[in-house]
Amino acid sequence: MTGQTILLTGTGSVGRELLLAFLRRTDAKLAVLVRDRGRRTAAERVEALFGLLGVSDEERRRVEVLRGDVSVAGFGLDTATQDRLAESLDLIVHTAATTSLTGSLASST
């Protein structure tokens, strides 16, 4: 995977492992779709994740954080961002999921 641009949805257990694998085993640029959660913004959540995973400054420069949500139309991204991604992406890896064991079925659709 040389010089590719990858969209990664989700930073849960699987998403984290793939994020690290893409950063450490390829030179791909990553667009990571992350939603705000509670009081933490998507950017704050990713920054904390980078610290937890030991992501280097060089690796961080290859990551674009996209504040969005896979459960809404267009991932909640503005039209310009959607268009840019449509033109530049080589691969989409969808790992976002609702894993709550207590949530209702209606909340996961």
Side-chain angles (χ1 to χ4, degrees), residues 5-18:
T5 302
I6 300 167
L7 172 63
L8 177 64
T9 67
T11 55
S13 298
V14 174
R16 290 174 188 206
E17 293 300 319
L18 288 172

Side-chain angles (χ1 to χ4, degrees), residues 27-108:
D27 64 352
K29 294 178 185 175
L30 298 171
V32 181
L33 186 72
V34 182
R35 64 185 169 149
D36 293 340
R37 188 169 184 188
R39 295 182 179 175
R40 295 174 67 189
T41 66
E44 291 169 335
R45 292 179 64 212
V46 170
E47 191 59 35
L49 179 62
F50 285 168
L52 179 71
L53 298 176
V55 174
S56 72
D57 289 341
E58 182 179 325
E59 291 167 332
R60 290 174 193 222
R61 285 190 286 275
R62 292 177 26 223
V63 178
E64 175 186 8
V65 177
L66 300 171
R67 181 176 165 248
D69 188 331
V70 297
S71 68
V72 298
F75 293 152
L77 301 171
D78 61 65
T79 303
T81 302
Q82 291 177 45
D83 291 344
R84 180 176 54 80
L85 290 172
E87 292 293 321
S88 66
L89 291 178
D90 298 295
L91 178 67
I92 298 172
V93 180
H94 178 51
T95 65
T98 299
T99 57
S100 172
L101 299 177
T102 60
S104 71
L105 187 56
S107 69
S108 61

